[in-house]
Amino acid sequence: MSQILSETFLSGFMILFQSLSVSRVSAMGSLSGTSSGASTVTQVSEELQALLMEERKRKRKVSNRESARRSRMRKKKHLDDLTAELTQLREDNHQIIMSLNITSQRYLHVEAENSVLRAQTNELSCRLQSLEDIITFLQWKQW
């Protein structure tokens, strides 16, 4: 779009320049003396330079606006990316916490089962020892 504006401006500028040149040349022809004609050419040159400076300023403004717009878009995209990453990390964190809770519950369950098995092992060891003592006593008594 800025290229269309630039082309429109340049075509308008060329028409303006041509009309200024024609009016200056006709003014120069009607004036007597070369110093007046030289000053008219200088005026046209200064006006042309002023118009060129205005066009450069306008182009710079358009370019700066476009650059600022792109910068805002990059900033917004970066913020959106960070927000999405935050959401994903929160979901991951929630999943890790759930997994940790499940693992902790399983650990407590296994630890309880292990305690029961140790108690049963101890009781069975005591029974076995008692039975071995009885067998030993009976064998000793038979001798």
Side-chain angles (χ1 to χ4, degrees):
M1 178 160 170
S2 64
Q3 185 176 3
I4 294 170
L5 289 174
S6 294
E7 290 173 4
T8 304
F9 176 80
L10 287 175
S11 65
F13 175 74
M14 293 302 291
I15 293 169
L16 178 64
F17 178 69
Q18 289 171 352
S19 67
L20 282 174
S21 296
V22 169
S23 65
R24 296 295 181 197
V25 168
S26 65
M28 284 175 39
S30 67
L31 293 174
S32 62
T34 56
S35 66
S36 148
S39 72
T40 304
V41 170
T42 304
Q43 287 175 350
V44 169
S45 175
E46 288 173 356
E47 289 175 9
L48 180 59
Q49 193 173 10
L51 286 173
L52 287 173
M53 291 297 284
E54 286 298 317
E55 173 62 9
R56 286 182 189 142
K57 283 183 186 178
R58 189 193 64 75
K59 282 184 179 179
R60 191 169 41 243
K61 276 185 181 179
V62 169
S63 175
N64 286 346
R65 284 184 187 140
E66 184 62 24
S67 177
R69 185 188 68 77
R70 286 191 309 267
S71 177
R72 286 190 302 273
M73 294 295 283
R74 277 192 309 272
K75 185 177 180 181
K76 184 180 182 319
K77 183 182 180 325
H78 184 64
L79 181 62
D80 291 344
D81 290 347
L82 289 175
T83 302
E85 184 179 0
L86 177 63
T87 301
Q88 183 61 46
L89 289 173
R90 283 184 175 161
E91 286 178 16
D92 292 349
N93 192 35
H94 178 70
Q95 289 296 327
I96 290 169
I97 289 171
M98 293 296 290
S99 177
L100 180 63
N101 287 340
I102 290 169
T103 304
S104 295
Q105 288 173 356
R106 287 180 181 166
Y107 171 78
L108 292 175
H109 179 72
V110 168
E111 186 69 27
E113 282 182 16
N114 200 15
S115 284
V116 168
L117 291 173
R118 281 188 185 135
Q120 288 175 349
T121 301
N122 286 337
E123 183 181 336
L124 289 174
S125 291
C126 288
R127 281 186 184 179
L128 180 61
Q129 185 63 42
S130 295
L131 289 173
E132 286 175 351
D133 289 346
I134 292 172
I135 291 174
T136 304
F137 176 74
L138 290 175
Q139 285 177 349
W140 181 77
K141 195 173 179 183
Q142 284 182 357
W143 285 92

